[in-house]
Amino acid sequence: MKSMVLYVLACCLAALVPFVGPDRGNVTTDETTFPGWPAEFQGKPIEQLPLSGREKSFASGFPGRVATFTDGSRRIIMRWVTKPTRKLHPASRCFKGIGYDVRPLPIRINNQGRHWSCFEAKKNGRHLLICERISDNSGNAWTDVSAWYWSALLNETRGSWWAFTVVEHR
């Protein structure tokens, strides 16, 4: 019994280790340093679109800013993130939540050599390709939201970060 109590106590202490230490998860960036939305994406001019009701709801309380754009053929969701947050999650979770069948695809490398995680989403005859990535201002990038979150929380990267989600009709 005594060994079980010690084991549970050790597990609880181990679970707290990532949250202990100087400035864990603190970011020096704040809303006043927002650099503005880009005028183009992947070499194409983009036009900002109004946020949908669902997007406005998501943006409420989000640590940073959220905007949606189009380049004429794709929908591009950009999020400027100021601190580690669980409000930034994989797009596949959103698409599953609104009834799409989701199938993961292999990591893709674009013309600029950047890695993107991608998946297919199908619903009512609609067939979409969705790709996403997160990057910081130091050249680091993540194709997995959970990997980014832990890197940010453990100060392996400092904010701010850009999260991009690109939706294409197939």
Side-chain angles (χ1 to χ4, degrees):
M1 180 67 170
K2 189 175 185 178
S3 62
M4 179 62 97
V5 170
L6 288 174
Y7 175 75
V8 170
L9 181 60
C11 288
C12 290
L13 289 173
L16 295 174
V17 168
F19 304 101
V20 178
D23 296 328
R24 288 288 181 215
N26 291 337
V27 178
T28 57
T29 305
D30 62 52
E31 285 289 313
T32 61
T33 60
F34 176 63
W37 300 114
E40 63 178 41
F41 182 76
Q42 296 180 337
K44 293 182 178 181
I46 54 175
E47 176 185 336
Q48 189 167 357
L49 302 171
L51 293 177
S52 70
R54 186 175 285 132
E55 290 166 333
K56 285 179 185 175
S57 175
F58 171 81
S60 173
F62 184 79
R65 298 190 183 195
V66 178
T68 303
F69 299 85
T70 184
D71 64 5
S73 61
R74 305 176 299 173
R75 186 174 183 94
I76 304 145
I77 299 112
M78 294 186 194
R79 287 153 295 178
W80 181 71
V81 188
T82 59
K83 65 181 182 180
T85 179
R86 285 295 188 188
K87 283 201 90 170
L88 182 64
H89 53 270
S92 59
R93 197 180 299 168
C94 293
F95 279 85
K96 283 180 188 176
I98 57 174
Y100 278 83
D101 291 322
V102 171
R103 184 175 70 89
L105 297 171
I107 295 290
R108 293 189 177 194
I109 302 173
N110 71 5
N111 295 339
Q112 295 85 28
R114 295 187 175 126
H115 291 76
W116 292 78
S117 64
C118 299
F119 64 93
E120 287 182 326
K122 294 180 182 179
K123 177 181 173 183
N124 300 331
R126 291 184 75 190
H127 187 177
L128 305 173
L129 170 66
I130 297 98
C131 296
E132 58 191 343
R133 74 187 310 264
I134 303 166
S135 60
D136 66 13
N137 295 322
S138 299
N140 299 307
W142 299 263
T143 57
D144 177 73
V145 175
S146 188
W148 162 79
Y149 175 77
W150 286 104
S151 290
L153 191 67
L154 297 173
N155 283 336
E156 295 170 355
T157 175
R158 303 284 293 183
S160 60
W161 302 270
W162 286 96
F164 301 98
T165 303
V166 179
V167 180
E168 295 181 53
H169 290 276
R170 294 186 114 191

